[in-house]
Amino acid sequence: MKNENTHRFETKAIHSGYDPKKHLDSLTPPIYQTSTFTFSSIEQGARRFGGTEDGYIYSRLTNPTVTVLEERMAQLEEGEAALGFSSGMAAVSAVLMNVTKANDHILCSRGVYGCTFGLLQLLKEKYHIDYTLSDLSTAEEIRSHINENTTCIYIETPINPTMRLIDLQLLVSIAKEKGIKVVVDNTFSTPYLQKPLFLGCDIVVHSATKYIGGHGDVIGGIVVGEATTIEEIKKTTQKDIGGVISPFDAWLLIRGIKTLAVRMERHCENAEMIANRLINHAKVKSVYYPGHASHSDHDVMKKQMSKAGGLLSFELEGTYEDTVKVVNHLKLIKIAVSLGDAETLIQHPASMTHAVVPENIRKDMGISNEMLRLSVGLEAWEDIWGDIEQALDSI
Ligand SMILES: *Cc1c(COP(=O)(O)O)cnc(C)c1O
Protein backbone atom coordinates (compact mmCIF):
# COMPACT_ATOMS: atom_id res chain seq x y z
CA MET A 1 0.00 0.00 0.00
CA LYS A 2 1.30 3.45 -0.87
CA ASN A 3 2.21 5.96 1.83
CA GLU A 4 1.20 3.57 4.55
CA ASN A 5 3.53 5.32 6.98
CA THR A 6 1.69 8.61 6.71
CA HIS A 7 -1.62 7.17 7.84
CA ARG A 8 -2.86 7.82 11.33
CA PHE A 9 -3.00 5.16 14.05
CA GLU A 10 -6.68 4.27 13.53
CA THR A 11 -6.15 3.74 9.80
CA LYS A 12 -2.96 1.72 10.22
CA ALA A 13 -4.73 -0.50 12.75
CA ILE A 14 -7.15 -1.51 9.98
CA HIS A 15 -5.00 -1.54 6.84
CA SER A 16 -1.28 -1.73 7.48
CA GLY A 17 0.69 -4.84 6.62
CA TYR A 18 -1.99 -6.20 4.31
CA ASP A 19 -2.66 -5.83 0.60
CA PRO A 20 -5.77 -7.70 -0.69
CA LYS A 21 -4.22 -7.88 -4.17
CA LYS A 22 -1.60 -10.27 -2.89
CA HIS A 23 -4.25 -12.56 -1.41
CA LEU A 24 -6.82 -13.22 -4.17
CA ASP A 25 -8.59 -9.90 -3.30
CA SER A 26 -9.76 -11.19 0.05
CA LEU A 27 -10.93 -8.19 2.13
CA THR A 28 -9.76 -9.70 5.41
CA PRO A 29 -6.42 -11.50 5.74
CA PRO A 30 -6.88 -15.23 5.06
CA ILE A 31 -5.91 -17.81 7.68
CA TYR A 32 -3.05 -19.79 6.14
CA GLN A 33 -3.67 -22.88 8.20
CA THR A 34 -0.69 -24.83 6.95
CA SER A 35 2.36 -26.24 8.67
CA THR A 36 4.60 -26.23 5.61
CA PHE A 37 5.04 -24.75 2.11
CA THR A 38 5.94 -26.52 -1.12
CA PHE A 39 8.94 -25.87 -3.37
CA SER A 40 8.70 -26.24 -7.14
CA SER A 41 12.15 -27.82 -7.34
CA ILE A 42 15.03 -29.02 -5.19
CA GLU A 43 16.94 -25.92 -6.31
CA GLN A 44 14.18 -23.61 -5.14
CA GLY A 45 14.14 -25.34 -1.74
CA ALA A 46 17.87 -24.75 -1.48
CA ARG A 47 17.48 -21.07 -2.43
CA ARG A 48 14.79 -20.54 0.22
CA PHE A 49 16.88 -22.22 2.90
CA GLY A 50 19.96 -20.35 1.75
CA GLY A 51 18.13 -17.03 1.97
CA THR A 52 18.78 -16.07 -1.66
CA GLU A 53 15.06 -16.25 -2.47
CA ASP A 54 12.23 -14.85 -0.37
CA GLY A 55 9.35 -17.16 0.32
CA TYR A 56 7.78 -19.35 2.93
CA ILE A 57 9.33 -22.61 4.15
CA TYR A 58 7.67 -23.82 7.33
CA SER A 59 5.22 -22.15 9.72
CA ARG A 60 7.53 -22.17 12.76
CA LEU A 61 9.73 -19.81 10.74
CA THR A 62 7.17 -17.62 8.97
CA ASN A 63 3.52 -17.83 7.99
CA PRO A 64 1.64 -15.29 5.82
CA THR A 65 -1.15 -14.67 8.37
CA VAL A 66 1.41 -14.17 11.12
CA THR A 67 3.35 -11.80 8.84
CA VAL A 68 0.31 -9.50 8.57
CA LEU A 69 0.07 -9.34 12.37
CA GLU A 70 3.79 -8.63 12.69
CA GLU A 71 3.87 -5.87 10.09
CA ARG A 72 0.80 -4.24 11.58
CA MET A 73 2.17 -4.27 15.12
CA ALA A 74 5.52 -2.89 13.93
CA GLN A 75 3.65 0.01 12.30
CA LEU A 76 1.54 0.72 15.38
CA GLU A 77 4.49 0.68 17.78
CA GLU A 78 6.59 2.67 15.29
CA GLY A 79 9.26 -0.01 15.25
CA GLU A 80 11.14 -1.51 12.31
CA ALA A 81 9.93 -5.08 12.76
CA ALA A 82 7.88 -7.34 14.99
CA LEU A 83 7.50 -11.01 15.90
CA GLY A 84 4.39 -12.91 16.97
CA PHE A 85 4.58 -15.43 19.84
CA SER A 86 2.30 -18.08 21.30
CA SER A 87 1.95 -16.09 24.55
CA GLY A 88 3.17 -12.97 26.28
CA MET A 89 5.53 -15.14 28.33
CA ALA A 90 6.99 -16.74 25.18
CA ALA A 91 7.72 -13.18 24.00
CA VAL A 92 9.18 -12.07 27.36
CA SER A 93 11.41 -15.16 27.66
CA ALA A 94 12.65 -14.90 24.06
CA VAL A 95 13.63 -11.26 24.67
CA LEU A 96 15.32 -11.84 28.04
CA MET A 97 17.34 -14.71 26.57
CA ASN A 98 18.32 -12.49 23.67
CA VAL A 99 19.60 -9.59 25.78
CA THR A 100 21.49 -11.65 28.38
CA LYS A 101 24.07 -14.43 28.75
CA ALA A 102 25.39 -16.22 31.83
CA ASN A 103 26.70 -13.86 34.57
CA ASP A 104 24.86 -10.81 33.21
CA HIS A 105 22.56 -8.65 35.31
CA ILE A 106 19.01 -7.41 34.62
CA LEU A 107 17.69 -4.27 36.31
CA CYS A 108 13.96 -4.71 36.62
CA SER A 109 11.02 -2.61 37.79
CA ARG A 110 9.60 -3.71 41.12
CA GLY A 111 6.21 -5.27 40.66
CA VAL A 112 6.64 -6.99 37.31
CA TYR A 113 4.10 -9.55 36.13
CA GLY A 114 4.19 -12.64 38.37
CA CYS A 115 5.44 -15.06 35.69
CA THR A 116 8.11 -12.58 34.55
CA PHE A 117 9.29 -12.57 38.16
CA GLY A 118 9.25 -16.39 38.08
CA LEU A 119 11.33 -16.32 34.89
CA LEU A 120 13.90 -13.99 36.48
CA GLN A 121 14.24 -16.49 39.34
CA LEU A 122 14.72 -19.35 36.89
CA LEU A 123 17.36 -17.44 34.91
CA LYS A 124 19.18 -16.72 38.16
CA GLU A 125 19.08 -20.26 39.50
CA LYS A 126 19.90 -22.07 36.27
CA TYR A 127 21.99 -19.64 34.26
CA HIS A 128 23.54 -17.25 36.84
CA ILE A 129 21.79 -14.24 35.36
CA ASP A 130 21.25 -11.92 38.31
CA TYR A 131 18.51 -9.33 38.74
CA THR A 132 17.69 -6.35 40.95
CA LEU A 133 14.18 -5.04 41.53
CA SER A 134 13.84 -1.28 41.91
CA ASP A 135 11.23 1.48 41.69
CA LEU A 136 13.55 3.32 39.26
CA SER A 137 11.85 6.56 40.24
CA THR A 138 14.88 8.89 40.33
CA ALA A 139 18.12 9.21 38.34
CA GLU A 140 20.16 8.38 41.49
CA GLU A 141 18.12 5.27 42.11
CA ILE A 142 18.50 4.07 38.51
CA ARG A 143 22.25 4.75 38.48
CA SER A 144 22.85 3.08 41.83
CA HIS A 145 21.56 -0.27 40.54
CA ILE A 146 23.52 -0.38 37.30
CA ASN A 147 26.53 -2.70 37.52
CA GLU A 148 29.38 -3.54 35.15
CA ASN A 149 27.45 -6.59 33.99
CA THR A 150 24.00 -4.95 33.57
CA THR A 151 22.93 -5.58 29.97
CA CYS A 152 19.24 -4.86 30.18
CA ILE A 153 16.70 -2.73 32.00
CA TYR A 154 13.35 -4.47 31.90
CA ILE A 155 10.26 -2.55 32.96
CA GLU A 156 6.51 -2.36 33.01
CA THR A 157 4.81 1.03 33.16
CA PRO A 158 2.15 1.34 34.48
CA ILE A 159 2.98 -1.46 36.91
CA ASN A 160 0.34 -3.85 38.10
CA PRO A 161 -1.47 -3.46 40.50
CA THR A 162 -0.24 -0.21 42.07
CA MET A 163 -0.26 1.58 38.69
CA ARG A 164 3.06 3.27 39.49
CA LEU A 165 4.78 4.68 36.41
CA ILE A 166 8.39 4.90 35.33
CA ASP A 167 9.65 7.98 33.48
CA LEU A 168 10.75 6.48 30.17
CA GLN A 169 12.73 9.51 28.98
CA LEU A 170 14.75 9.62 32.20
CA LEU A 171 15.40 5.88 32.06
CA VAL A 172 16.44 5.97 28.41
CA SER A 173 18.82 8.89 28.93
CA ILE A 174 20.72 6.95 31.61
CA ALA A 175 20.61 3.62 29.76
CA LYS A 176 21.99 5.25 26.59
CA GLU A 177 24.98 6.66 28.53
CA LYS A 178 25.82 3.13 29.62
CA GLY A 179 24.91 1.28 26.42
CA ILE A 180 22.22 -0.78 28.13
CA LYS A 181 19.10 -1.97 26.34
CA VAL A 182 15.72 -0.87 27.63
CA VAL A 183 12.87 -3.36 27.26
CA VAL A 184 9.32 -2.22 28.00
CA ASP A 185 6.35 -4.49 28.57
CA ASN A 186 3.70 -2.26 26.98
CA THR A 187 0.75 -4.59 27.65
CA PHE A 188 -1.15 -2.16 29.90
CA SER A 189 -0.87 0.88 27.63
CA THR A 190 -0.84 -0.52 24.11
CA PRO A 191 0.75 1.66 21.40
CA TYR A 192 -2.47 3.68 21.32
CA LEU A 193 -1.61 5.25 24.69
CA GLN A 194 2.18 4.97 24.87
CA LYS A 195 5.00 4.43 22.34
CA PRO A 196 8.19 3.42 24.15
CA LEU A 197 10.23 2.96 20.95
CA PHE A 198 9.42 6.52 19.91
CA LEU A 199 10.81 7.64 23.29
CA GLY A 200 14.09 5.80 22.65
CA CYS A 201 13.49 2.41 24.29
CA ASP A 202 14.95 -0.57 22.40
CA ILE A 203 12.39 -3.36 22.58
CA VAL A 204 8.67 -3.52 23.31
CA VAL A 205 6.96 -6.73 24.43
CA HIS A 206 3.25 -7.40 24.71
CA SER A 207 0.94 -9.92 26.12
CA ALA A 208 -1.36 -9.63 23.10
CA THR A 209 -3.81 -11.71 25.14
CA LYS A 210 -4.95 -8.46 26.75
CA TYR A 211 -5.90 -5.21 24.94
CA ILE A 212 -4.33 -6.15 21.58
CA GLY A 213 -6.70 -9.11 21.16
CA GLY A 214 -9.25 -7.37 23.35
CA HIS A 215 -11.91 -10.07 23.39
CA GLY A 216 -10.62 -12.60 25.89
CA ASP A 217 -10.45 -15.37 23.30
CA VAL A 218 -6.76 -15.78 22.50
CA ILE A 219 -3.35 -16.13 24.18
CA GLY A 220 -0.56 -14.42 22.26
CA GLY A 221 2.57 -12.29 22.48
CA ILE A 222 4.41 -9.72 20.38
CA VAL A 223 7.94 -8.32 20.33
CA VAL A 224 8.75 -5.09 18.44
CA GLY A 225 12.12 -3.42 17.86
CA GLU A 226 14.95 -2.76 15.41
CA ALA A 227 15.04 -5.08 12.40
CA THR A 228 18.45 -6.52 13.37
CA THR A 229 17.33 -7.35 16.91
CA ILE A 230 14.09 -8.88 15.68
CA GLU A 231 15.95 -10.97 13.10
CA GLU A 232 18.30 -12.20 15.82
CA ILE A 233 15.41 -13.22 18.08
CA LYS A 234 13.60 -14.83 15.15
CA LYS A 235 16.59 -16.97 14.20
CA THR A 236 17.56 -18.01 17.71
CA THR A 237 15.17 -17.91 20.64
CA GLN A 238 12.06 -18.05 18.50
CA LYS A 239 13.09 -20.61 15.89
CA ASP A 240 14.92 -22.97 18.21
CA ILE A 241 12.75 -22.71 21.32
CA GLY A 242 9.63 -22.48 19.23
CA GLY A 243 6.99 -20.38 20.97
CA VAL A 244 5.39 -19.29 17.70
CA ILE A 245 1.81 -18.12 17.32
CA SER A 246 -0.66 -20.19 15.31
CA PRO A 247 -2.17 -18.70 12.11
CA PHE A 248 -5.65 -18.74 13.65
CA ASP A 249 -4.56 -16.95 16.81
CA ALA A 250 -2.67 -14.40 14.70
CA TRP A 251 -5.87 -13.86 12.72
CA LEU A 252 -7.87 -13.25 15.92
CA LEU A 253 -5.31 -10.65 16.97
CA ILE A 254 -5.46 -8.97 13.54
CA ARG A 255 -9.22 -8.75 13.94
CA GLY A 256 -8.92 -7.38 17.47
CA ILE A 257 -6.39 -4.72 16.46
CA LYS A 258 -8.83 -3.20 13.95
CA THR A 259 -10.86 -1.78 16.87
CA LEU A 260 -7.96 -1.08 19.24
CA ALA A 261 -8.25 2.72 19.04
CA VAL A 262 -12.02 2.74 19.56
CA ARG A 263 -11.84 0.24 22.40
CA MET A 264 -9.02 2.05 24.22
CA GLU A 265 -10.96 5.32 24.11
CA ARG A 266 -13.92 3.66 25.79
CA HIS A 267 -11.80 1.71 28.32
CA CYS A 268 -10.14 4.99 29.35
CA GLU A 269 -13.43 6.90 29.58
CA ASN A 270 -15.09 4.18 31.66
CA ALA A 271 -12.08 3.81 33.97
CA GLU A 272 -12.08 7.52 34.65
CA MET A 273 -15.79 7.46 35.54
CA ILE A 274 -15.31 4.52 37.91
CA ALA A 275 -12.11 5.92 39.48
CA ASN A 276 -13.76 9.26 40.25
CA ARG A 277 -16.66 7.54 41.95
CA LEU A 278 -14.47 5.14 43.95
CA ILE A 279 -12.32 8.05 45.15
CA ASN A 280 -15.42 9.79 46.53
CA HIS A 281 -16.99 6.71 48.13
CA ALA A 282 -16.93 6.60 51.95
CA LYS A 283 -16.13 2.87 52.06
CA VAL A 284 -13.08 3.15 49.80
CA LYS A 285 -9.73 3.91 51.48
CA SER A 286 -7.44 4.31 48.47
CA VAL A 287 -7.59 4.29 44.69
CA TYR A 288 -4.61 3.71 42.42
CA TYR A 289 -5.36 5.32 39.07
CA PRO A 290 -2.71 7.36 37.24
CA GLY A 291 -5.35 9.45 35.48
CA HIS A 292 -6.29 11.19 38.75
CA ALA A 293 -4.35 14.17 40.09
CA SER A 294 -4.01 12.40 43.46
CA HIS A 295 -1.83 9.63 41.96
CA SER A 296 1.88 10.03 42.73
CA ASP A 297 2.86 9.55 39.08
CA HIS A 298 0.13 11.64 37.48
CA ASP A 299 2.72 14.03 35.97
CA VAL A 300 4.69 11.17 34.40
CA MET A 301 1.41 9.87 32.97
CA LYS A 302 0.69 13.21 31.31
CA LYS A 303 4.22 13.31 29.92
CA GLN A 304 4.36 9.92 28.23
CA MET A 305 0.83 8.55 27.87
CA SER A 306 -2.03 10.07 25.87
CA LYS A 307 -4.58 8.75 28.41
CA ALA A 308 -4.39 6.81 31.67
CA GLY A 309 -5.67 3.41 30.48
CA GLY A 310 -8.43 1.09 31.63
CA LEU A 311 -6.92 -0.36 34.80
CA LEU A 312 -7.14 0.71 38.40
CA SER A 313 -6.76 -0.77 41.86
CA PHE A 314 -8.38 0.09 45.15
CA GLU A 315 -8.51 -0.82 48.81
CA LEU A 316 -11.61 -0.73 50.97
CA GLU A 317 -11.98 1.02 54.29
CA GLY A 318 -12.21 -2.32 56.08
CA THR A 319 -10.73 -5.75 56.65
CA TYR A 320 -9.74 -8.57 54.35
CA GLU A 321 -13.08 -10.22 55.20
CA ASP A 322 -14.93 -7.10 53.99
CA THR A 323 -12.92 -7.25 50.76
CA VAL A 324 -13.96 -10.87 50.21
CA LYS A 325 -17.58 -9.99 50.91
CA VAL A 326 -17.65 -7.15 48.40
CA VAL A 327 -16.06 -9.21 45.61
CA ASN A 328 -18.42 -12.11 46.20
CA HIS A 329 -21.38 -9.72 46.00
CA LEU A 330 -20.55 -8.57 42.47
CA LYS A 331 -23.04 -9.72 39.85
CA LEU A 332 -22.09 -8.17 36.52
CA ILE A 333 -18.36 -7.84 37.09
CA LYS A 334 -16.58 -11.16 36.67
CA ILE A 335 -13.90 -12.45 39.04
CA ALA A 336 -11.02 -13.33 36.74
CA VAL A 337 -7.39 -12.57 36.07
CA SER A 338 -6.35 -11.19 32.67
CA LEU A 339 -7.39 -7.74 31.53
CA GLY A 340 -8.26 -5.66 28.52
CA ASP A 341 -11.42 -7.57 27.63
CA ALA A 342 -14.87 -6.21 26.80
CA GLU A 343 -16.06 -7.58 30.16
CA THR A 344 -15.12 -5.77 33.38
CA LEU A 345 -12.92 -8.10 35.44
CA ILE A 346 -11.85 -7.95 39.06
CA GLN A 347 -9.04 -9.88 40.71
CA HIS A 348 -7.26 -10.12 44.07
CA PRO A 349 -3.50 -9.71 43.35
CA ALA A 350 -2.22 -11.14 46.68
CA SER A 351 -3.93 -14.49 46.10
CA MET A 352 -4.03 -14.53 42.30
CA THR A 353 -1.64 -12.71 39.90
CA HIS A 354 1.03 -12.10 42.55
CA ALA A 355 0.56 -15.26 44.64
CA VAL A 356 3.93 -16.61 43.40
CA VAL A 357 5.72 -13.56 44.78
CA PRO A 358 6.88 -14.12 48.41
CA GLU A 359 4.81 -12.08 50.89
CA ASN A 360 7.68 -9.80 52.00
CA ILE A 361 8.51 -8.86 48.39
CA ARG A 362 4.80 -8.41 47.71
CA LYS A 363 4.58 -5.93 50.60
CA ASP A 364 7.61 -4.09 49.18
CA MET A 365 5.73 -3.88 45.88
CA GLY A 366 2.87 -2.19 47.75
CA ILE A 367 0.46 -5.09 47.34
CA SER A 368 -1.68 -5.49 50.45
CA ASN A 369 -4.07 -8.35 51.17
CA GLU A 370 -6.95 -5.89 50.83
CA MET A 371 -6.05 -4.65 47.36
CA LEU A 372 -8.34 -5.34 44.39
CA ARG A 373 -7.51 -4.77 40.73
CA LEU A 374 -10.18 -3.81 38.25
CA SER A 375 -9.93 -4.08 34.47
CA VAL A 376 -12.69 -1.73 33.40
CA GLY A 377 -14.52 -3.14 30.38
CA LEU A 378 -16.62 -1.72 27.58
CA GLU A 379 -20.04 -1.98 29.21
CA ALA A 380 -22.05 1.17 30.02
CA TRP A 381 -20.12 2.75 32.90
CA GLU A 382 -23.39 3.29 34.81
CA ASP A 383 -23.92 -0.47 34.93
CA ILE A 384 -20.35 -1.15 36.03
CA TRP A 385 -20.65 1.45 38.79
CA GLY A 386 -24.11 0.20 39.77
CA ASP A 387 -22.67 -3.26 40.37
CA ILE A 388 -19.76 -1.93 42.45
CA GLU A 389 -22.09 0.30 44.48
CA GLN A 390 -24.48 -2.52 45.39
CA ALA A 391 -21.51 -4.73 46.37
CA LEU A 392 -20.07 -1.95 48.57
CA ASP A 393 -23.49 -1.71 50.26
CA SER A 394 -22.99 -5.29 51.53
CA ILE A 395 -20.48 -4.11 54.14
C1 LIG B 1 -0.58 -11.22 31.02
C2 LIG B 1 0.70 -10.51 31.07
C3 LIG B 1 1.89 -11.14 30.67
C4 LIG B 1 1.94 -12.58 30.22
O1 LIG B 1 1.24 -12.77 29.05
P1 LIG B 1 0.55 -14.16 28.59
O2 LIG B 1 -0.06 -13.82 27.31
O3 LIG B 1 -0.42 -14.53 29.66
O4 LIG B 1 1.66 -15.15 28.51
C5 LIG B 1 3.05 -10.39 30.70
N1 LIG B 1 3.06 -9.11 31.11
C6 LIG B 1 1.94 -8.48 31.53
C7 LIG B 1 2.00 -7.06 31.96
C8 LIG B 1 0.72 -9.17 31.52
O5 LIG B 1 -0.39 -8.54 31.94
Side-chain angles (χ1 to χ4, degrees):
M1 210 179 301
K2 258 187 270 164
N3 297 327
E4 189 170 86
N5 288 319
T6 66
H7 284 148
R8 287 170 178 77
F9 188 96
E10 293 80 350
T11 313
K12 286 185 191 174
I14 295 167
H15 294 281
S16 68
Y18 182 66
D19 182 355
K21 290 192 182 57
K22 294 184 183 153
H23 300 270
L24 300 175
D25 302 317
S26 173
L27 173 68
T28 58
I31 305 169
Y32 286 88
Q33 193 68 33
T34 183
S35 54
T36 197
F37 298 82
T38 60
F39 310 130
S40 56
S41 65
I42 184 169
E43 291 87 351
Q44 187 186 41
R47 285 197 300 276
R48 295 240 174 121
F49 269 89
T52 55
E53 179 185 302
D54 282 344
Y56 293 93
I57 297 175
Y58 184 68
S59 283
R60 178 158 41 73
L61 313 178
T62 29
N63 172 282
T65 311
V66 176
T67 304
V68 175
L69 168 69
E70 293 172 341
E71 291 185 2
R72 192 161 294 179
M73 277 304 293
Q75 285 275 334
L76 296 181
E77 283 284 5
E78 297 187 25
E80 288 177 3
L83 276 181
F85 285 85
S86 55
S87 69
M89 286 318 300
V92 171
S93 54
V95 167
L96 284 181
M97 291 180 88
N98 175 259
V99 295
T100 56
K101 57 182 185 336
N103 304 314
D104 282 348
H105 171 252
I106 301 167
L107 176 54
C108 185
S109 53
R110 202 192 301 282
V112 278
Y113 185 70
C115 298
T116 302
F117 179 79
L119 177 66
L120 290 174
Q121 295 270 90
L122 181 139
L123 292 176
K124 184 177 167 120
E125 283 159 21
K126 297 195 80 160
Y127 306 109
H128 300 286
I129 296 165
D130 205 2
Y131 68 86
T132 305
L133 300 177
S134 163
D135 291 334
L136 305 169
S137 50
T138 63
E140 296 70 50
E141 199 180 355
I142 298 167
R143 283 209 174 86
S144 73
H145 294 299
I146 294 177
N147 307 327
E148 283 288 291
N149 59 342
T150 307
T151 54
C152 156
I153 303 178
Y154 182 96
I155 66 150
E156 287 173 27
T157 179
I159 293 171
N160 194 30
T162 54
M163 304 301 150
R164 291 295 310 266
L165 270 69
I166 290 168
D167 184 333
L168 291 173
Q169 266 175 329
L170 174 69
L171 192 67
V172 165
S173 68
I174 296 170
K176 286 259 187 292
E177 279 169 22
K178 314 255 179 193
I180 298 168
K181 286 205 164 151
V182 176
V183 182
V184 180
D185 181 333
N186 207 27
T187 301
F188 276 29
S189 305
T190 82
Y192 185 69
L193 303 178
Q194 171 174 280
K195 292 192 180 66
L197 300 177
F198 185 74
L199 296 173
C201 301
D202 299 283
I203 301 176
V204 160
V205 296
H206 276 281
S207 168
T209 311
K210 316 294 166 54
Y211 288 111
I212 299 293
H215 294 74
D217 51 13
V218 60
I219 300 277
I222 310 273
V223 175
V224 195
E226 279 181 1
T228 48
T229 310
I230 293 299
E231 193 59 18
E232 225 176 270
I233 296 172
K234 186 175 176 62
K235 290 195 168 143
T236 57
T237 46
Q238 190 185 54
K239 175 172 79 65
D240 298 338
I241 295 176
V244 290
I245 191 165
S246 77
F248 180 63
D249 287 350
W251 183 83
L252 282 172
L253 294 179
I254 293 165
R255 186 169 71 158
I257 290 169
K258 288 185 188 181
T259 55
L260 181 63
V262 197
R263 286 187 285 110
M264 290 315 290
E265 281 294 329
R266 182 64 170 265
H267 280 300
C268 291
E269 245 172 63
N270 279 358
E272 195 177 327
M273 289 298 193
I274 301 302
N276 289 339
R277 278 155 186 81
L278 282 171
I279 286 167
N280 292 315
H281 198 285
K283 287 179 185 165
V284 175
K285 185 169 76 183
S286 41
V287 176
Y288 304 81
Y289 173 64
H292 196 267
S294 64
H295 190 277
S296 53
D297 298 323
H298 183 59
D299 289 340
V300 182
M301 190 290 288
K302 285 195 291 190
K303 203 168 112 180
Q304 65 194 26
M305 296 174 74
S306 58
K307 288 197 169 135
L311 293 156
L312 58 92
S313 297
F314 62 100
E315 286 159 322
L316 300 179
E317 196 72 75
T319 61
Y320 171 68
E321 286 68 31
D322 292 328
T323 308
V324 170
K325 201 167 173 194
V326 167
V327 173
N328 287 340
H329 262 83
L330 292 166
K331 295 188 175 96
L332 176 72
I333 297 172
K334 303 293 180 268
I335 309 169
V337 294
S338 201
L339 56 103
D341 296 335
E343 296 82 0
T344 297
L345 306 177
I346 196 163
Q347 66 110 352
H348 180 243
S351 67
M352 297 176 189
T353 48
H354 291 70
V356 295
V357 182
E359 187 163 5
N360 58 327
I361 301 182
R362 217 159 56 217
K363 290 261 143 65
D364 275 354
M365 291 174 173
I367 305 170
S368 70
N369 286 333
E370 289 76 37
M371 182 180 268
L372 296 170
R373 204 273 324 266
L374 199 63
S375 168
V376 181
L378 303 175
E379 302 97 336
W381 70 265
E382 294 91 338
D383 294 331
I384 303 169
W385 178 244
D387 196 32
I388 295 173
E389 222 176 8
Q390 66 80 27
L392 286 171
D393 285 344
S394 72
I395 57 167

